[in-house]
Amino acid sequence: MSDTGHHPSREQLQELVDACVHCGFCLPTCPTYDLWGQEMDSPRGRIHLMKQWLEGAPLTDASVTHLDRCLGCMACVTSCPSGVRYDQLITATRAEVETTYPRTRRERALRGLIFGLFPHPRRLRALRAPLRLAQWTRLDRLAGRTLRRIAPGLGAMATLAPRPGRRERLPARVDARGTRRAVVGMLTGCVQREFFPQVNAATARVLAAEGCDVVIPPDQGCCGALSLHSGRRDEAVRFAERTAAVFTRAGVDAVVVNAAGCGSAMKEYADLGVDAPPVRDLSEWLTELGPVATRHPVPATVAYHDACHLSHAQGIRSAPRQLLSAIPELEVREIADPEICCGSAGVYNLLQPQAARDLGDRKAAHVAATGASMLVSANPGCAMQIAAALGRAGHPLPVAHVAEVLDRSVTG
Amino acid sequence: MRAPPSAVTLKGMDLSRLAQRFVEIVGADGVVTDPAELRTYECDGLTAHAATPGVVVLPTTAAQVAEIVRTCVAHGVPYVARGSGTGLSGGALPRTDGVLIVTSKMRRILEVDIDNRRAVVEPGVVNLAVTRAAAADGYYYAPDPSSQQVCSIGGNVAENAGGAHCLKYGFTVNHVLGLQVVTPDGEIVTLDSHAPGYDLLGAFVGSEGTLGIATQVTVRLLRAPEAVQTMLAGFESVDAAGACVSAIIAAGVVPAAVEMMDALAIEAAEAAVACDYPPGAGAVLIVEVDGPSAEVADELAEVRRLAQQTGAFAVRVAADAAERAAIWKGRKSAFAAVGRISPAYLVQDGVVPRTALPQVLGDIAALSRESGIRVANVFHAGDGNLHPLVLYDHAVDGEAERAERVSAEIMARCLAHGGSITGEHGVGVDKSAYMAQMFTDADLDTMQLLRCAFDPRGLCNPGKVFPTPRLCGEAPGPRTGVHPLVASGQAELF
């Protein structure tokens, strides 16, 4: 296997760009067009910038700014009647930007810090204790304010960080309850594993209750999603190869993923030239499998938030709603403008803090308007982002993963 | 690759100095001067025409629009207004030596007045957003161009946009009750549909941005019909479907919409949105009837009977709103969906008398056969408004030119049958050359007089609608001096 995976050629990129007929149907679903209303911050405009680059124009500060501002939410891919593969275009263009465009020292430092930290669960773990102390002493707020002034990206990092849940050490294997129906691997993720360990525990319990042997390889690392979606392709391929190897060795029917961004990246492994067992999002897997475990009532009204990497990138919208609606006494409410991103978008909220904050505030207002008593999503990034925005708006809500709600219903 | 636009010097006035003035008016984040950014505005929904604007300004208020226009007038610089950039006739094609005024940041819904059945919106508001704002009260905004989820109300006003439901409900002009307009002098005025005297509002709607810039639009809201039924019928051929349309109209039924797509258009829509139209159909008809429940039930039964009588081999009626949306999705995405089966296309907008439909469609098929250029047909069959999509590959030598010729010939056939070169997309730059085939010199001169009454300097969206080089021996470009008709004593300005 090559160490760079499959790079689209310039001819292939040109073909992808030519598929755009400039109809503009993508504009209203683009979060940044929604924010600023200007062409170059829309998918159609960004494709035009890519076209200029393919025609020989150099990448300028201005064009890179607009490409950087794309959240990679893929809402435009859903809305495009011409079938333009903007997802492939932005990934390839970002890789080009990262290799040929000289970034400022400050930007390089921030990116270096982010990519030196998030894809590495052990380094994230090292942060847990100081973070808890800072949050307990309220020092984080001061740090957030100061940092926002001198380095907005780092400031966002400080204020977005969740209160780390109690660490639950997961065994390497959880046996199915009752008759075994499948053997699945479980991706524990980086952020999910260190900051939302209770979500992984709930996922394993639900899978076991539905008759799955759950294999949780302790030596798994980052799946490569953050790197892939930020144009760090070679790094992404290295992570992908390692993750694929771990789960292939485990001999599982499928790898079940509870973080939308990770699942979406793992479904792109084939494009990177990496072979791996089939990948399923948790809700997708559970709907395919069909329920056997008894559902106990969970009397609550929840608002369900579509994570972009679940709805747009993986096309999964009805499965989580079906699973939630099947829980007795649970009411699911829809959030207005569900196709618009919350602004989290992987590490976007660290790289473009102001845009992310504005989008988060809009999303929080729509969530608050549902009158629900809890927000449910299927991605750790969205959960942190919307929880922070709801807090800012003075409307704090508990945030849960689909797995946690199911766990509560199944466990009774 | 074309040469990047440089700082054009205009009558001693550097565009960058003009841009500086615009920064004072709207702020730095509303002025675009970077060459790469400017190029993203080089065309609208019709890519066949492109021109990089000299500078782009994105105002947020009517006062800012007026100040921008006054600045342009003071410096003799042409300007063009643009909304969402979805036009299909190049009506918002920028000027390389001019200013593009983009209304996409003016998108507030100022008032939804259900008691008086009207809404007041800014020009950048998206068409469908008006309906969304009124839906909770059971009201909606009727004109529904296929791009309704993205096109702006300001652009709809400029082009007098239509849509599938215009058959029963009329065009934009029938749904605009009032306008706030920045005139080509930079004055803010109000036009009211109920004001006595000349119908200036009627003149403004559909003037394609040549009489001023709408900065506030008061639209009519309609009560959502009590019942809606949507029928999808598959026919062996376009002829059979055409016969069905004639039978429906002859029976005295006025459906809300009657839309037809031929086999090639169906293929594209299937590829794009998997709309699940009857397999093997040479043509499908979408017939929608709406109104009071009892009437709708009767009309639907009648339409269904007529469809079967005229040879429909598959008839399906949408059971609910989701199924209705699925039927419409194929039709509404058809233009862009053609991107799935062809690298490029030209879209025509000819109108013919309904009775001439079969003959004109036959002509189009023959033209396609002779030239080897594929033509997909999507159209508002009820009012004879054709949208032939002429498919070509710009990478194949000479194919674009052949497509252009087929396209022009289709337009000529429409005129030969007593029709029009445009039903709802407007003339813009794309069809301006054909205006002389439809109108006499006297007609065009009279239109010029109206235009000059609003815009004596000829700076407001020049080069659109009228054939270039212009009539009366005028040179193209912003007009200076006296209009030839005035100079010859045939007319006077007031």
Side-chain angles (χ1 to χ4, degrees):
Chain A
M1 203 179 293
S2 82
D3 62 348
T4 53
H6 165 71
H7 277 273
S9 67
R10 279 182 96 91
E11 288 71 31
Q12 284 167 319
L13 287 180
Q14 186 68 53
E15 225 167 89
L16 291 175
V17 162
D18 284 346
C20 172
V21 296
H22 221 253
C23 70
F25 275 42
C26 53
L27 302 188
T29 60
C30 176
T32 57
Y33 185 79
D34 196 40
L35 278 182
W36 305 309
Q38 50 188 15
E39 189 71 19
M40 52 282 186
D41 285 313
S42 76
R44 184 172 70 174
R46 291 189 180 103
I47 290 173
H48 201 294
L49 293 170
M50 294 172 195
K51 184 175 138 192
Q52 294 180 33
W53 165 67
L54 285 169
E55 285 171 356
L59 289 167
T60 61
D61 290 356
S63 49
V64 170
T65 298
H66 300 298
L67 294 168
D68 277 354
R69 284 178 179 175
C70 167
L71 295 113
C73 72
M74 307 309 161
C76 52
V77 178
T78 304
S79 66
C80 178
S82 298
V84 174
R85 291 300 305 268
Y86 181 87
D87 50 339
Q88 295 179 0
L89 274 172
I90 190 72
T91 302
T93 311
R94 287 201 154 144
E96 177 69 23
V97 170
E98 288 318 304
T99 48
T100 64
Y101 177 75
R103 292 196 180 278
T104 62
R105 187 183 301 172
R106 196 181 171 133
E107 268 185 77
R108 278 204 308 275
L110 177 60
R111 278 165 196 265
L113 180 64
I114 289 170
F115 292 102
L117 180 63
F118 284 91
H120 303 279
R122 283 203 198 109
R123 296 182 200 165
L124 275 179
R125 190 176 315 155
L127 265 186
R128 287 170 52 94
L131 189 63
R132 286 186 96 156
L133 182 68
Q135 283 171 342
W136 183 63
T137 56
R138 298 279 172 109
L139 262 176
D140 61 323
R141 297 192 177 188
L142 178 65
R145 272 201 300 276
T146 318
L147 278 170
R148 246 201 315 282
R149 230 179 18 251
I150 54 170
L154 291 179
M157 209 187 289
T159 44
L160 279 171
R163 289 177 175 258
R166 199 167 51 81
R167 268 187 69 76
E168 295 183 49
R169 193 168 287 281
L170 287 167
R173 189 179 186 101
V174 179
D175 289 330
R177 284 216 322 244
T179 316
R180 187 172 76 192
R181 301 161 77 201
V183 181
V184 300
M186 186 177 114
L187 184 85
T188 49
C190 304
V191 172
Q192 194 83 287
R193 168 170 157 188
E194 292 311 320
F195 291 108
F196 300 97
Q198 71 282 9
V199 173
N200 280 340
T203 304
R205 279 194 295 270
V206 170
L207 283 168
E210 294 292 10
C212 302
D213 273 1
V214 188
V215 183
I216 310 165
D219 53 343
Q220 60 178 296
C222 172
C223 68
L226 287 184
S227 311
L228 181 66
H229 297 146
S230 305
R232 299 165 77 99
R233 198 182 179 95
D234 294 350
E235 189 177 87
V237 172
R238 282 197 300 277
F239 281 130
E241 284 172 345
R242 190 160 177 274
T243 308
V246 165
F247 283 104
T248 306
R249 267 201 308 277
V252 295
D253 300 327
V255 181
V256 174
V257 183
N258 61 17
C262 306
S264 140
M266 289 186 73
K267 287 179 179 178
E268 286 177 64
Y269 276 4
D271 292 338
L272 295 175
V274 176
D275 290 327
V279 175
R280 294 283 183 279
D281 178 72
L282 173 68
S283 59
E284 185 184 21
W285 176 256
L286 291 177
T287 349
E288 278 175 21
L289 201 62
V292 288
T294 310
R295 261 62 172 168
H296 301 281
V298 178
T301 307
V302 304
Y304 175 73
H305 164 73
D306 281 302
C308 295
H309 275 104
L310 200 60
S311 62
H312 299 305
Q314 301 184 57
I316 298 172
R317 294 179 187 83
S318 60
R321 289 177 169 82
Q322 266 178 41
L323 290 171
L324 291 171
S325 304
I327 297 175
E329 295 178 33
L330 185 94
E331 188 195 337
V332 184
R333 294 207 177 146
E334 293 295 326
I335 301 167
D337 291 343
E339 75 281 4
I340 299 270
C341 178
C342 67
S344 171
V347 291
Y348 187 87
N349 45 14
L350 308 180
L351 294 171
Q352 304 280 341
Q354 190 56 49
R357 200 179 160 92
D358 292 347
L359 288 168
D361 289 344
R362 288 180 183 204
K363 186 60 79 180
H366 288 320
V367 171
T370 63
S373 54
M374 183 192 276
L375 177 71
V376 178
S377 184
N379 197 50
C382 306
M384 287 193 276
Q385 166 81 356
I386 305 176
L390 283 164
R392 277 200 300 279
H395 197 288
L397 271 189
V399 179
H401 191 283
V402 177
E404 294 174 278
V405 183
L406 287 173
D407 181 37
R408 202 160 128 210
S409 174
V410 167
T411 320
Chain B
M1 192 204 150
R2 70 184 73 187
S6 54
V8 187
T9 305
L10 292 161
K11 298 187 186 114
M13 174 79 185
D14 197 301
L15 267 187
S16 63
R17 268 179 52 211
L18 205 60
Q20 200 47 53
R21 173 73 192 109
F22 294 148
V23 169
E24 289 165 24
I25 299 169
V26 301
D29 60 355
V31 181
V32 179
T33 54
D34 177 85
E37 295 179 343
L38 286 173
R39 272 203 62 194
T40 65
Y41 283 98
E42 70 178 7
C43 64
D44 51 19
L46 182 74
T47 52
H49 303 272
T52 306
V55 55
V56 174
V57 202
L58 298 112
T60 52
T61 65
Q64 289 179 356
V65 175
E67 194 53 38
I68 293 162
V69 168
R70 283 197 292 269
T71 306
C72 290
V73 170
H75 295 96
V77 174
Y79 56 91
V80 177
R82 165 178 160 131
S84 297
T86 57
L88 293 169
S89 59
L93 182 74
R95 297 273 299 207
T96 52
D97 60 350
V99 177
L100 188 69
I101 303 172
V102 180
T103 60
S104 56
K105 290 193 183 202
M106 299 175 72
R107 48 184 169 177
R108 284 175 304 166
I109 293 175
L110 301 170
E111 194 186 346
V112 177
D113 179 1
I114 295 297
D115 289 345
N116 290 303
R117 302 191 172 195
R118 54 167 61 193
V120 183
V121 304
E122 292 187 328
V125 168
V126 166
N127 174 303
L128 197 56
V130 182
T131 290
R132 288 213 179 110
D137 293 303
Y139 284 76
Y140 77 114
Y141 176 62
D144 62 335
S146 293
S147 57
Q148 66 186 129
Q149 56 182 293
V150 48
C151 62
S152 71
I153 290 289
N156 289 177
V157 167
E159 300 296 325
N160 189 18
H165 291 79
C166 291
L167 175 62
K168 183 171 179 180
Y169 293 101
F171 284 66
T172 301
V173 70
N174 305 110
H175 297 271
V176 173
L177 301 172
L179 287 174
Q180 182 195 64
V181 167
V182 171
T183 67
D185 288 332
E187 206 185 328
I188 300 178
V189 301
T190 306
L191 306 177
D192 192 326
S193 62
H194 299 306
Y198 292 125
D199 181 11
L200 294 179
L201 185 83
F204 192 93
V205 177
S207 63
E208 307 200 21
T210 61
L211 303 186
I213 302 174
T215 46
Q216 205 168 290
V217 186
T218 304
V219 298
R220 185 196 306 281
L221 297 176
L222 294 186
R223 185 85 186 258
E226 185 189 2
V228 183
Q229 291 285 4
T230 309
M231 185 191 86
L232 178 75
F235 292 85
E236 302 267 325
S237 67
V238 172
D239 280 356
C244 181
V245 176
S246 295
I248 292 170
I249 306 289
V253 178
V254 182
V258 182
E259 300 285 305
M260 200 193 294
M261 292 166 71
D262 72 1
L264 202 50
I266 297 169
E267 181 191 330
E270 287 287 355
V273 296
C275 45
D276 195 23
Y277 286 177
V284 293
L285 270 191
I286 299 170
V287 184
E288 189 159 284
V289 286
D290 67 7
S293 300
E295 184 186 317
V296 165
D298 277 2
E299 286 184 344
L300 179 69
E302 177 75 356
V303 167
R304 186 198 280 266
R305 189 181 64 76
L306 291 169
Q308 272 148 358
Q309 208 171 61
T310 47
F313 66 82
V315 173
R316 190 196 311 158
V317 176
D320 52 33
E323 283 190 31
R324 176 172 314 115
I327 289 177
W328 275 111
K329 199 168 183 187
R331 167 60 187 90
K332 297 228 166 188
S333 63
F335 283 10
V338 162
R340 304 254 181 178
I341 60 167
S342 173
Y345 64 88
L346 298 169
V347 52
Q348 275 301 352
D349 181 36
V351 185
V352 295
R354 212 163 26 232
T355 46
L357 268 179
Q359 208 178 337
V360 173
L361 288 170
D363 288 358
I364 293 175
L367 275 171
S368 172
R369 264 197 313 277
E370 289 156 19
S371 61
I373 295 284
R374 293 183 302 164
V375 181
N377 284 292
V378 180
F379 53 99
H380 309 303
D383 43 16
N385 187 183
L386 299 168
H387 290 314
L389 294 148
V390 182
L391 314 185
Y392 67 98
D393 185 347
H394 42 72
V396 177
D397 244 9
E399 202 165 295
E401 289 74 19
R402 274 191 292 148
E404 182 67 50
R405 276 199 299 279
V406 168
S407 184
E409 188 52 38
I410 291 173
M411 205 150 26
R413 301 287 163 100
C414 291
L415 287 176
H417 286 280
S420 162
I421 57 171
T422 173
E424 57 184 4
H425 296 172
V427 178
V429 284
D430 194 47
K431 300 179 192 75
S432 58
Y434 303 98
M435 283 289 271
Q437 291 180 18
M438 187 164 171
F439 296 105
T440 64
D441 287 357
D443 292 337
L444 290 169
D445 283 355
T446 308
M447 290 184 208
Q448 281 279 17
L449 274 181
L450 177 73
R451 178 176 182 167
C452 290
F454 278 83
D455 180 25
R457 294 174 196 82
L459 292 175
C460 188
N461 205 14
K464 310 290 162 61
V465 184
F466 296 96
T468 31
R470 299 186 178 187
L471 299 169
C472 324
E474 260 184 286
R479 186 163 45 247
T480 51
V482 188
H483 189 276
L485 280 176
V486 176
S488 65
Q490 288 176 272
E492 60 182 311
L493 287 176
F494 45 92

